[in-house]
């Protein structure tokens, strides 16, 4: 498991409006993950439909796209060992009522249609999502000063 695995994490419009950006960044930082890209954006309907294209046949798809269009989204790329799977466990279960306390959704959300955050569900989807949301030059490469304090081995 590489310490350079990357995941796409986004704070959805409700999370931005509710003032949760700082806390969500802080949870990933404190865990030891490295921020390599971030921006506050208002993507087009086409962009959001592409992001969620696997769900286009679901009955909640139109509502999901409307929700994602309802305000700015804070998009990020986080890097570190097992970033995709561990990122998902930091977010909590899709349905916040099933999310454990201590997770982002378990602490801040109730309805599945207002679940505050997005995280890639695997390495392959992370690659696709990072390429959709960021230009290559927007994703930084650097060694975090804390690297040797977080990892026993690279
Ligand atoms: P995620 O990977 O945990 O975000 O979950 P999915 O990829 O399955 O779904 C994407 C997003 O669609 C979720 O985060 C929710 O915002 C929304 N969603 C999923 N299932 C439902 C549902 O049953 N009802 C509604 N209203 N929204 C849903
Ligand atoms: Mg998903």
């Amino acid at each position: 498991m590489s310490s350079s695995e990357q995941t796409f994490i986004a704070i959805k419009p409700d999370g931005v409006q509710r003032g949760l950006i700082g806390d969500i960044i802080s949870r990933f930082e404190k865990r030891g993950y490295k921020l390599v890209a971030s921006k506050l954006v208002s993507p087009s309907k086409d962009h959001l439909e592409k992001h969620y294209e696997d769900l286009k046949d679901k009955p909640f798809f139109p509502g999901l796209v409307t929700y994602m269009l309802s305000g700015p989204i804070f998009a990020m790329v986080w890097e570190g060992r097992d970033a995709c799977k561990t990122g998902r466990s930091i977010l909590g279960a899709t349905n916040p009522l099933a999310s454990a306390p201590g997770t982002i959704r378990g602490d801040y959300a109730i309805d599945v249609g207002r679940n505050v955050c997005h995280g890639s569900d695997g390495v392959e989807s992370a690659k696709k999502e990072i390429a959709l949301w960021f230009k290559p030059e927007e994703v930084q490469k650097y060694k975090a000063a804390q690297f040797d304090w977080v990892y026993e081995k690279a």
Side-chain angles (χ1 to χ4, degrees):
M1 240 180 290
S2 156
S3 58
S4 60
E5 184 174 311
Q6 294 183 336
T7 187
F8 174 69
I9 301 290
I11 306 174
K12 296 176 176 181
D14 50 339
V16 172
Q17 294 288 353
R18 292 177 57 197
L20 301 177
I21 294 175
D23 180 75
I24 292 171
I25 289 178
S26 186
R27 288 172 184 233
F28 280 85
E29 279 185 331
K30 285 190 277 193
R31 185 66 186 260
Y33 287 110
K34 179 174 79 174
L35 184 65
V36 292
S38 67
K39 59 184 174 185
L40 189 64
V41 279
S42 297
S44 67
K45 189 166 185 250
D46 277 359
H47 176 106
L48 293 164
E49 286 176 348
K50 193 155 188 208
H51 173 75
Y52 279 129
E53 66 185 357
D54 294 351
L55 301 172
K56 64 177 184 299
D57 298 325
K58 300 280 186 194
F60 58 81
F61 184 74
L64 173 60
V65 173
T66 303
Y67 163 44
M68 294 296 283
L69 280 168
S70 63
I73 292 171
F74 195 69
M76 299 169 278
V77 181
W78 287 91
E79 186 178 296
R81 192 167 344 273
D82 209 21
C84 295
K85 189 160 146 277
T86 306
R88 299 267 299 179
S89 58
I90 292 170
L91 301 192
T94 302
N95 183 345
L97 293 181
S99 299
T103 65
I104 293 165
R105 288 164 172 166
D107 286 346
Y108 296 128
I110 296 173
D111 275 4
V112 68
R114 295 289 184 272
N115 64 356
V116 171
C117 47
H118 166 85
S120 307
D121 64 13
V123 174
E124 287 316 305
S125 49
K127 283 183 184 153
K128 273 172 60 183
E129 291 172 0
I130 292 166
L132 176 66
W133 288 77
F134 289 97
K135 298 182 191 126
E137 64 270 25
E138 290 176 319
V139 181
Q140 305 302 314
K141 291 184 177 64
Y142 64 102
K143 183 177 176 185
Q146 63 172 0
F147 187 91
D148 297 325
W149 298 104
V150 172
Y151 297 101
E152 183 184 8
K153 294 185 185 122

